[in-house]
Amino acid sequence: MTQDKMRKLVTACAVAATTLLVVLLAVLIYQWITYGVLKSRREKLEAENQKLEQLIEEGKMDAEYYESVMGKEWLAFQQGFVKPQGE
């Protein structure tokens, strides 16, 4: 192998290795960014899910209250009904 061919071969290997390294780094950076975005999205969804579960529980408590006698009386009083004197 001549000196010229050896130099071209070494240069081609160096270019191939550099290109491979750049591509692998680009893929790695893309994955880091994607992971960060998905992590923040997941945290937001978990927080929203927790808020909705809390609202559901509060709604159940409200429903139980308004289905009770005291809750029904309160709604009646809000609408202007009065309790008869004998009761």
Side-chain angles (χ1 to χ4, degrees):
M1 205 180 253
T2 66
Q3 195 75 0
D4 191 37
K5 285 185 179 181
M6 182 63 85
R7 199 171 345 128
K8 285 181 181 180
L9 182 63
V10 169
T11 304
C13 288
V15 168
T18 304
T19 305
L20 179 64
L21 182 65
V22 168
V23 168
L24 289 176
L25 282 174
V27 168
L28 186 63
I29 290 171
Y30 174 77
Q31 287 180 345
W32 281 340
I33 292 171
T34 303
Y35 176 75
V37 168
L38 291 177
K39 183 178 176 183
S40 67
R41 189 180 300 165
R42 180 179 179 181
E43 290 172 355
K44 286 179 185 177
L45 288 174
E46 286 176 351
E48 185 178 344
N49 190 20
Q50 190 175 18
K51 285 180 186 177
L52 290 174
E53 286 177 355
Q54 184 179 4
L55 287 174
I56 288 171
E57 287 300 318
E58 290 174 2
K60 286 181 182 177
M61 292 176 65
D62 288 345
E64 290 172 1
Y65 172 74
Y66 287 119
E67 288 174 356
S68 70
V69 173
M70 193 164 65
K72 289 178 183 176
E73 285 180 354
W74 176 253
L75 288 174
F77 290 144
Q78 282 182 335
Q79 296 298 320
F81 289 91
V82 247
K83 198 172 192 179
Q85 291 291 335
E87 293 183 29

